[in-house]
Amino acid sequence: MHDPAVLRSIHRARFQAEPAVFVAPGRVNLIGEHTDYAEGFVMPAAINFATLAGISPRTDGKIVIYSENFKEEKTFEAAALPAAAGKHWSDYPIGVAVILAGEGHAIPGFSLSLWGDVPLGSGLSSSAALEVVTALAVLSLIGASYPGPVLARLCQRVENEFVGANCGIMDQFISANGKEDHALLLDCRDLSFKLAPIPHNIALVIANTMVKHSIAGGDYPTRRAESEAACAVIASHRPGVPFLRDATLEDLEKWGHEMAPKSLMRARHVISENLRTVAAEKALERGDLEELGRLMAEAHTSYSKDFEGSCAEADAMVELAQDLPGLIGARLTGGGFGGCTINLVEQSHAAAFSEALASRYAARTGIVPEIHICHASGGAHKLD
Ligand code: GAF
């Protein structure tokens, strides 16, 4: 994580004011992909890449947001917040102000400095980190606060209602509620969760394919729509199935022939992924790492073949990891179509594993990957 003292001095120099400073992490999802918007299960962990925000009040009614990453400043009027997103990085922080205003909060002028090290467009939830850290900062400025799950919902609404990305709750939830050394088995229906301890001898090795990932593009909403179309077919026979969370593989056997072939494939992924995610938490809990690895491998195949959410580079990254010493399990993580793979690796092998994977991947694809040895971190909070 970047040094908060540096952000403080950036903020002071730019705005001549002392900021309150907050942090929100990115995330990696161990298993449970495209199940969140089906009200199913996910098992993410917050990671030690994060976005920092410094905030101080202003008296001129302006909201001035500076991004150290983009070296760019953007100004808004607090009394006339934008009605629509501008396809710009500032959509995320100003979207938070818009959603909070819609909740009845009076939004004052403020200066906000942002600086993060969550790799952008890599499927590690840089945008969720940006939303959550901004929400914490603005809420503290106006003397309000929300429980973590409510904060996560508000930030999800920034994506859904302001930015225009039809994502689920996973990324905002884990950024707001992550716990050091733990993954969370999250039930996306009622937002209850179970802490899943990650043993100290397991490293989270995150391998970036360097293929850009975006959930705003066409593929994410298309897959979501296809899976929801399958659910509608099941619901026409069995009304107790509002979401694929409620469906079974037997439902697909009975009524799959009424679905478009792609819809059937998407639904098979989502339904089986829910089962795998719950099973993976149990395997982790009883220390059955072989079973955990098997479930991750199965999840990747399902994501790649049935959901068609992978890409040649991510498939290669997973395949090339298979026989490396120390690997417990590998799969593509996050929204898909690029981004990163998550590799659970025995800590003592993590460095050699990363080096070998990087050179194999470069030799196979001609792309130099970025590989990070991460650990599960705490959720968003204020920094002293
Ligand atoms: C992206 C979305 F933002 C999440 O809500 C989730 O659907 C994920 O893709 C896929 O599991 O990260």
Side-chain angles (χ1 to χ4, degrees):
M1 186 181 93
H2 288 317
D3 184 353
V6 175
L7 180 73
R8 272 182 214 284
S9 63
I10 290 171
H11 189 97
R12 265 189 229 117
R14 178 165 288 267
F15 297 118
Q16 289 78 50
E18 186 61 34
V21 176
F22 300 81
V23 60
R27 67 97 188 91
V28 71
N29 189 21
L30 303 191
I31 192 164
E33 229 61 84
H34 290 266
T35 45
D36 60 351
Y37 51 76
E39 296 206 345
F41 294 90
V42 293
M43 195 162 69
I47 52 174
N48 49 311
F49 284 117
T51 300
L52 298 170
I55 194 164
S56 58
R58 296 177 70 99
T59 51
D60 59 2
K62 294 190 187 309
I63 295 177
V64 183
I65 309 178
Y66 172 69
S67 163
E68 174 65 9
N69 293 77
F70 291 101
K71 300 268 186 299
E72 199 187 354
E73 189 178 279
K74 185 95 181 162
T75 301
F76 301 88
E77 294 296 330
L81 292 170
K87 298 209 179 309
H88 188 255
W89 61 263
S90 61
D91 289 346
Y92 299 96
I94 201 64
V96 169
V98 168
I99 293 294
L100 291 178
E103 285 295 292
H105 293 290
I107 304 296
F110 58 83
S111 304
L112 184 74
S113 315
L114 298 163
W115 190 32
D117 63 1
V118 187
L120 303 183
S122 303
L124 300 177
S125 298
S126 56
S127 55
L130 188 48
E131 290 147 13
V132 171
V133 81
T134 303
L136 273 193
V138 173
L139 286 168
S140 121
L141 186 76
I142 63 180
S145 72
Y146 288 106
V150 180
L151 188 74
R153 271 284 182 233
L154 288 170
C155 292
Q156 182 196 9
R157 286 180 52 205
V158 174
E159 295 271 357
N160 296 169
E161 297 170 25
F162 189 76
V163 176
N166 204 13
C167 66
I169 186 77
M170 169 168 70
D171 303 350
Q172 292 76 16
F173 193 94
I174 190 67
S175 182
N177 301 287
K179 182 141 161 51
E180 179 105 37
D181 297 330
H182 290 74
L184 262 59
L185 176 68
L186 173 66
D187 182 338
C188 298
R189 168 152 287 166
D190 61 8
L191 301 189
S192 61
F193 62 86
K194 187 168 172 188
L195 288 174
I198 300 177
H200 281 286
N201 60 341
I202 297 182
L204 308 180
V205 180
I206 297 175
N208 193 340
T209 62
M210 311 307 278
V211 176
K212 281 282 174 211
H213 145 94
S214 157
I215 58 169
D219 290 325
Y220 183 100
T222 306
R223 294 298 186 283
R224 180 171 176 164
E226 286 164 344
S227 71
E228 288 172 350
C231 190
V233 170
I234 300 170
S236 71
H237 298 281
R238 212 157 69 74
V241 183
F243 291 92
L244 280 181
R245 149 72 177 271
D246 307 294
T248 64
L249 293 170
E250 293 73 57
D251 290 332
L252 296 184
E253 268 163 36
K254 280 193 206 151
W255 300 303
H257 64 278
E258 293 178 25
M259 297 168 189
K262 295 279 183 200
S263 278
L264 171 60
M265 289 160 64
R266 308 314 181 226
R268 192 161 54 215
H269 166 75
V270 175
I271 296 171
S272 62
E273 185 81 344
N274 267 322
L275 298 170
R276 280 188 293 271
T277 304
V278 173
E281 188 282 326
K282 292 210 172 87
L284 187 58
E285 198 179 311
R286 63 174 189 272
D288 188 348
L289 299 182
E290 207 179 309
E291 173 66 357
L292 179 61
R294 195 193 64 74
L295 289 162
M296 288 176 75
E298 205 179 286
H300 182 77
T301 303
S302 171
Y303 199 9
S304 178
K305 300 280 184 279
D306 271 345
F307 206 75
E308 295 180 300
S310 186
C311 60
E313 293 83 355
D315 286 346
M317 192 74 94
V318 168
E319 182 204 319
L320 294 169
Q322 290 313 314
D323 62 342
L324 288 176
L327 180 75
I328 295 161
R331 54 176 288 281
L332 172 61
T333 187
F337 314 105
C340 296
T341 65
I342 169 70
N343 302 265
L344 296 186
V345 181
E346 287 167 32
Q347 197 69 253
S348 56
H349 288 280
F353 174 93
S354 304
E355 236 174 76
L357 184 58
S359 69
R360 281 183 172 188
Y361 182 77
R364 169 81 71 90
T365 63
I367 305 169
V368 177
E370 281 171 11
I371 303 200
H372 313 281
I373 303 176
C374 292
H375 60 262
S377 307
H381 58 277
K382 185 170 193 234
L383 294 169
D384 294 326

